[in-house]
Amino acid sequence: MAKTSKPTFYVTTPIYYVNDVLHIGHAYTTIIADILARAKKLRGCEVFFLTGTDEHGQKIEKAAAEKGLQPKELADRVVVRALDLWKALDISFDFFIRTTMPQHERGVQAVFKMLMDKGDVYKGEYKGWYCVSDENFLAEDVPLEKEGHKVCPDCGKKCILVSEECYFFKLSAYQKPLLDLYDKNPAFVRPPSRMNEVASFVRQGLRDLSITRTTVKWGVPVPGDPKHTIYVWFDALHNYLTGIGYGTDDKNFRRFWPADLHLVGKDILRFHAVFWPAFLMAGGFELPRTVFGHGWWLKDDTKMSKSKGNVLDPYQILKFFGPDPLRYFLVREVPIGLDGNFSHEAFLHRVNSDLANDLGNLVQRTLTMIRNYFQGRIDDPGPELPVDAALRQGFAELKDKAVALYDDYAINKALEEIWAYITSVNKYLAGHEPWKLAKSPSNRPRLGRILFQAAAAIRGICHLLFPVMPSSMSKVWDCLGEAKKPDEELFSEFNFDGFKKGQVIKEPVPLFPRVALKDFLSEGTAPRTPAGPTATTAARKTPAASSATKEQTMDIITYDDFKKMDLKVGLILTAERVPNTDKLLKLEVDLGTEKRQVVAGVGDVYTPEEIIGKKLIMVANLKPAVIRGVESQGMILAAESGGKAIIPFFERDVAPGSKVK
Ligand SMILES: [Zn+2]
């Protein structure tokens, strides 16, 4: 039988310049590449994921000299930082290419020589305005300033007029072939708006490109003419060939070239969508399938950059949350092609609402119930009713959609679909109220089926979410008693009913930490887990002191003081979440003679559906207060436990409005 070879998927990030401080923007590109690489592996592809560092150029030479180091020594130090960050973010690259690696330098020289022999690279004289900071000659159409010099449109720095002997690449010869490429393969550049920009740039005409310098020493020498150094962009772009073995491992190179996806920031799209395919055409290489120009993460509506001093350090978030919430947020919040504005509030909202509430609580509740009611065993559920089958059918449909969306690099849409399904599973559980069924032994088969179905749905959700949140989803699979990790099973192999005989649920572990905004913002001093009061307060007048202080100063009250409190039994008639809050529920409570609206901070522990119809104790004579724009006419009593508010509900029937003494 002939061995069928797997399809391949080759994805790259730009190689990051070692003189840059790695920030959320770099993390973003790399996270997207990692998610797509993991999703393709689950599709059965053989994947090669390449990232690395760009280590040549004048800026490195200068920065190293200032520190009294050799350029390579400086690069070695920075590379360690990059590798640490990628490890902290769970980045699963296959190879980390450095442009100072001998195999890269030899590969660049080989291509250069080949193009020179073909006549696509020739020696000439270049005169132009040069930005030292960006190592870039300015476009001819940048106007002269009053003082007679040009200013770099990218960084705003004064440029110098440079005239030097150099080698040119005959880019002008590739205008027509490039336009033909864009015509024939509209997906060569994505999103389509960026394709339009690129095509209109090329239509305006292309000049030959100077690709060497004599003023820069720190780089790859031109073969046979070592006073010339190959220009950083020509050098750097070829990492996509050398990183998979061009010139050193032909078998691997042939296996993975051409690249399926070059992920790049929109600012470097021109290099990748114009110069790069032209170099490749000249060298007789196949062309990459897609160059995806993603948007920027902005801070306060400006692009993050070292020079502007507004970079967000990923470690600020990692130290509170670990990698998964950041990975999730960056790809959920905006489609890959658009810009996003990073705000700590938006980040925290996503983490608390999507991750902790919707997903984390679902997992926690379901697993806890299976452990409490069935000693953790779920392999023998009762008969399946149509409503249960709908959950299975819903998952089958979800899987098709989500996989197709991953294939189309539409990660945010895949997550939207997955979250719609999570909501349906939460509704399924709330609608069946398993905690009520558990009270009567005759309901056990039904209870077993409902919990089995919910656990199966959770298992499927985690499988689909694995590419985005690999470490958390592996944890859930482990708690479900799975012997395998989620990525040991392909999307196509996944079986909704795949629980093994004897599979036992382990105690659920906390998945997503809850962090208060104030702790998050005062980073550095805040605890990892949220502390402090989560009382169901309606009218907390004074800011809470720390609980230790409160205990020390707690006053003794008289019986008369206590009698001033009007405590009554309340019946919860309706409950709904207060929009844009993490844990506030708006309740309508029947006090026997009247109905009250109360706002309670219990939405992280209870779902609205679950507490409707329950009876609790309410402080009925508390002065009304407005909480997040909603009036609260009283307060419900709850115990504070592990940072959560647990409501004491009445076990036996008691009339609403009964006095509590
Ligand atoms: Zn500049």
Side-chain angles (χ1 to χ4, degrees):
M1 203 168 72
K3 192 168 163 267
T4 50
S5 72
K6 282 186 187 179
T8 60
F9 182 73
Y10 175 29
V11 59
T12 69
T13 73
I15 47 174
Y16 304 116
Y17 198 47
V18 283
N19 210 29
D20 278 349
V21 175
L22 292 178
H23 57 67
I24 292 278
H26 304 97
Y28 180 49
T29 321
T30 314
I31 286 168
I32 295 170
D34 187 65
I35 291 170
L36 296 175
R38 289 176 188 270
K40 284 291 181 183
K41 281 181 196 157
L42 289 173
R43 290 284 273 144
C45 291
E46 198 182 332
V47 169
F48 202 100
F49 167 15
L50 182 72
T51 189
T53 39
D54 177 4
E55 306 187 356
H56 288 136
Q58 202 162 13
K59 273 199 268 186
I60 309 289
E61 207 173 359
K62 273 203 290 187
E66 281 163 17
K67 293 185 167 73
L69 297 170
Q70 292 301 311
K72 179 66 164 44
E73 287 176 311
L74 176 68
D76 287 347
R77 291 183 186 187
V78 178
V79 163
V80 172
R81 291 213 294 269
L83 290 172
D84 280 348
L85 179 59
W86 301 151
K87 190 165 176 230
L89 283 168
D90 256 341
I91 302 298
S92 62
F93 59 81
D94 293 287
F95 190 65
F96 191 94
I97 181 84
R98 302 179 55 180
T99 54
T100 50
M101 287 174 167
Q103 70 260 39
H104 173 75
E105 299 187 346
R106 281 200 303 270
V108 172
Q109 288 181 321
V111 174
F112 194 97
K113 174 107 187 7
M114 178 163 68
L115 301 192
M116 203 153 56
D117 293 346
K118 273 190 64 184
D120 273 319
V121 166
Y122 62 92
K123 203 188 240 185
E125 171 94 359
Y126 187 82
K127 195 175 174 202
W129 290 94
Y130 183 74
C131 172
V132 177
S133 178
D134 290 323
E135 297 176 76
N136 204 358
F137 278 98
L138 303 195
E140 301 284 323
D141 56 4
V142 174
L144 274 175
E145 299 286 304
K146 280 198 201 88
E147 300 82 12
H149 60 259
K150 288 191 179 185
V151 165
C152 172
D154 294 328
C155 68
K157 288 187 185 143
K158 196 169 154 179
C159 295
I160 51 172
L161 192 59
V162 173
S163 173
E164 62 177 23
E165 181 190 77
C166 78
Y167 288 85
F168 284 90
F169 172 74
K170 215 183 260 178
L171 184 63
S172 56
Y174 290 90
Q175 181 177 5
K176 174 93 173 45
L178 284 169
L179 290 172
D180 289 348
L181 162 69
Y182 305 151
D183 263 357
K184 261 187 276 169
N185 181 6
F188 180 73
V189 176
R190 289 182 64 185
S193 58
R194 300 265 149 73
M195 172 55 110
N196 295 338
E197 287 167 26
V198 167
S200 77
F201 169 76
V202 172
R203 259 185 243 111
Q204 287 166 22
L206 295 173
R207 293 163 163 275
D208 289 353
L209 204 62
S210 118
I211 55 168
T212 63
R213 296 285 176 269
T214 50
T215 46
V216 182
K217 284 291 149 238
W218 178 235
V220 182
V222 168
D225 195 358
K227 79 176 159 105
H228 293 268
T229 301
I230 296 172
Y231 177 53
V232 282
W233 270 106
F234 188 93
D235 168 3
L237 284 165
H238 285 90
N239 91 86
Y240 302 131
L241 301 181
T242 60
I244 49 167
Y246 174 72
T248 50
D249 183 352
D250 273 354
K251 188 160 166 262
N252 200 62
F253 179 71
R254 280 198 308 273
R255 180 113 189 82
F256 288 103
W257 190 257
D260 294 275
L261 180 63
H262 290 312
L263 282 165
V264 300
K266 61 182 181 180
D267 47 330
I268 53 172
L269 186 61
R270 190 174 294 179
F271 295 98
H272 285 83
V274 181
F275 304 162
W276 178 230
F279 297 158
L280 291 168
M281 286 178 193
F285 294 99
E286 266 191 83
L287 299 182
R289 302 217 159 79
T290 294
V291 176
F292 207 124
H294 67 70
W296 289 333
W297 274 101
L298 311 174
K299 184 75 185 104
D300 309 320
D301 293 311
T302 23
K303 188 189 181 220
M304 285 179 213
S305 75
K306 195 170 69 167
S307 52
K308 291 197 186 91
N310 65 343
V311 296
L312 272 174
D313 174 6
Y315 282 111
Q316 275 177 6
I317 292 169
L318 285 169
K319 82 173 164 205
F320 282 94
F321 296 93
D324 286 351
L326 181 58
R327 291 170 63 104
Y328 174 76
F329 175 77
L330 291 178
V331 294
R332 172 70 196 263
E333 197 72 1
V334 289
I336 296 177
L338 302 181
D339 287 347
N341 210 351
F342 194 97
S343 94
H344 290 80
E345 288 82 356
F347 173 76
L348 216 57
H349 178 71
R350 281 277 177 212
V351 175
N352 286 342
S353 142
D354 298 8
L355 298 183
N357 283 343
D358 297 348
L359 178 58
N361 280 352
L362 172 65
V363 172
Q364 187 81 21
R365 283 164 64 204
T366 307
L367 271 53
T368 303
M369 284 192 280
I370 293 171
R371 282 171 60 82
N372 289 349
Y373 306 149
F374 293 91
Q375 290 76 50
R377 301 184 69 99
I378 43 160
D379 49 359
D380 189 19
E384 182 179 275
L385 304 183
V387 64
D388 313 318
L391 218 56
R392 172 187 293 101
Q393 182 54 33
F395 182 77
E397 287 162 17
L398 166 69
K399 189 171 93 173
D400 288 348
K401 276 191 221 163
V403 168
L405 288 165
Y406 278 138
D407 279 351
D408 193 37
Y409 312 143
I411 305 170
N412 70 314
K413 287 197 186 132
L415 292 174
E416 272 171 34
E417 295 289 346
I418 294 169
W419 250 260
Y421 184 71
I422 291 173
T423 303
S424 75
V425 180
N426 272 322
K427 277 197 183 132
Y428 169 85
L429 268 188
H432 285 93
E433 301 184 306
W435 45 91
K436 276 192 185 164
L437 294 174
K439 285 172 190 156
S440 159
S442 63
N443 291 328
R444 270 187 85 75
R446 188 69 199 123
L447 178 63
R449 168 53 66 178
I450 289 161
L451 294 179
F452 174 88
Q453 219 71 0
I458 288 170
R459 189 168 154 272
I461 288 163
C462 293
H463 195 236
L464 288 178
L465 282 178
F466 177 81
V468 179
M469 296 187 281
S471 96
S472 313
M473 298 307 106
S474 300
K475 272 193 219 165
V476 179
W477 265 45
D478 183 53
C479 289
L480 285 168
E482 286 292 324
K484 287 185 194 172
K485 287 197 144 208
D487 59 341
E488 290 173 57
E489 197 164 300
L490 300 182
F491 284 141
S492 61
E493 294 166 348
F494 182 83
N495 174 12
F496 189 82
D497 300 289
F499 286 109
K500 307 276 179 306
K501 265 283 174 237
Q503 193 158 330
V504 178
I505 301 286
K506 298 181 192 164
E507 191 175 346
V509 294
L511 285 180
F512 304 108
R514 287 177 178 281
V515 177
L517 185 64
K518 65 176 170 50
D519 295 335
F520 184 30
L521 291 181
S522 66
E523 51 91 26
T525 54
R528 278 190 79 83
T529 44
T534 52
T536 62
T537 175
R540 184 191 297 281
K541 290 275 180 52
T542 48
S546 83
S547 48
T549 323
K550 261 190 300 180
E551 270 156 31
Q552 282 155 14
T553 60
M554 195 71 86
D555 288 332
I556 302 285
I557 60 166
T558 65
Y559 182 67
D560 284 342
D561 288 330
F562 175 69
K563 270 205 309 188
K564 286 182 198 160
M565 287 220 283
D566 184 16
L567 300 179
K568 279 184 174 164
V569 174
L571 164 69
I572 301 176
L573 300 171
T574 65
E576 60 182 274
R577 293 198 182 275
V578 177
N580 302 319
T581 67
D582 297 324
K583 59 178 185 187
L584 292 186
L585 296 185
K586 184 172 89 179
L587 313 176
E588 193 184 17
V589 181
D590 180 1
L591 286 181
T593 51
E594 59 173 315
K595 287 175 193 166
R596 293 275 189 91
Q597 175 175 296
V598 180
V599 178
V602 295
D604 53 339
V605 182
Y606 302 95
T607 63
E609 296 84 346
E610 158 190 1
I611 61 170
I612 291 172
K614 300 211 167 179
K615 288 170 187 164
L616 40 63
I617 302 173
M618 205 176 122
V619 184
N621 60 340
L622 198 68
K623 192 174 162 190
V626 176
I627 299 166
R628 300 295 286 269
V630 184
E631 185 175 11
S632 186
Q633 306 151 330
M635 180 169 96
I636 64 173
L637 293 192
E640 193 183 306
S641 173
K644 310 219 177 239
I646 309 297
I647 306 173
F649 292 113
F650 283 95
E651 291 272 352
R652 307 222 178 164
D653 203 28
V654 50
S658 303
K659 182 110 180 106
V660 179
K661 331 191 247 187

